């Protein structure tokens, strides 16, 4: 059974900029740069028939490409942070693409994604990092920004059941109109 999700890839120069943020946070397990992405919709473990239906319905998406940039760092987990992320300066085009994917996947009978769409790039998973260390890390690097980059496609990725952070396999790529 494949574990699927849709995502946006990052250009190599943007991934390199993110990779320079690695280190300086005790207890962090850093994501490998080749696995950086912006998740659009987690689909989950599905049978092969459903995976084929997902791939087929995503091929029907007709949207324009757009620009994105990354801005700022933060954490998920509140008082017990469990991950560090880079924020995405999300415009209407990104939100419209994500909503379109959500609608199409629900029409296939998949459960709605209960989490609010919060576009980000996960940089590290945290198990033993202290709140103080995380705050110090963010204080030094929190003003991170990238120049805008073009988004010309989205992808369907699969992963094996693992401890997060990849490796991911691109199953399909879906171009966005120029």
């Amino acid at each position: 059974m494949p574990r699927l999700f849709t995502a946006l890839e990052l250009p190599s120069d943007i991934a390199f900029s993110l990779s320079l943020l690695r280190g300086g946070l005790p207890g962090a397990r850093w994501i490998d740069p080749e696995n950086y992405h912006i998740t659009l919709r987690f689909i989950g473990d599905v049978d092969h028939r459903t995976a084929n239906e997902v791939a087929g319905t995503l091929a029907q998406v007709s949207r324009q490409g757009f620009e994105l940039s990354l801005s700022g760092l933060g954490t998920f987990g509140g008082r017990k942070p469990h991950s560090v992320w880079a924020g995405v300066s999300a415009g209407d085009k990104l939100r419209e693409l994500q909503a379109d994917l959500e609608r199409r996947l629900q029409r296939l009978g998949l459960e709605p994604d209960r989490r609010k769409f919060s576009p980000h790039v996960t940089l590290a998973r945290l198990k033993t990092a202290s709140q103080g260390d995380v705050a110090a890390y963010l204080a030094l690097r929190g003003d991170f920004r990238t120049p805008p980059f073009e988004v010309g496609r989205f992808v369907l990725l699969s992963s094996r059941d693992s401890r997060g952070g990849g490796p991911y396999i691109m199953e399909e790529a879906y171009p966005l109109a120029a």
Side-chain angles (χ1 to χ4, degrees), residues 61-136:
V61 171
S62 177
R63 295 248 164 220
Q64 294 289 319
F66 51 92
E67 278 191 346
L68 282 183
S69 60
L70 304 183
S71 177
L73 300 180
T75 62
F76 288 125
R79 292 182 179 210
K80 186 158 175 35
H82 57 74
S83 59
V84 174
W85 49 258
V88 176
S89 296
D92 290 341
K93 299 261 189 210
L94 173 60
R95 294 193 185 286
E96 290 167 4
L97 172 62
Q98 190 278 332
D100 188 5
L101 300 182
E102 180 65 35
R103 280 189 301 276
R104 290 171 186 274
L105 294 170
Q106 285 183 37
R107 277 191 228 128
L108 287 179
L110 297 175
E111 288 293 316
D113 192 344
R114 300 287 179 216
R115 295 169 293 189
K116 180 180 182 265
F117 180 55
S118 179
H120 65 279
V121 179
T122 301
L123 302 178
R125 307 269 185 221
L126 308 175
K127 280 245 184 200
T128 61
S130 74
Q131 243 184 315
D133 286 342
V134 172

Side-chain angles (χ1 to χ4, degrees), residues 4 6 41 43 46-47 49-60 100-112 156 174:
L4 300 176
T6 59
R41 172 57 152 84
I43 297 166
V46 296
D47 59 44
R49 182 187 60 76
T50 303
N52 288 333
E53 289 175 354
V54 165
T57 200
L58 294 177
Q60 298 170 17
D100 188 5
L101 300 182
E102 180 65 35
R103 280 189 301 276
R104 290 171 186 274
L105 294 170
Q106 285 183 37
R107 277 191 228 128
L108 287 179
L110 297 175
E111 288 293 316
L156 178 64
Y174 303 97

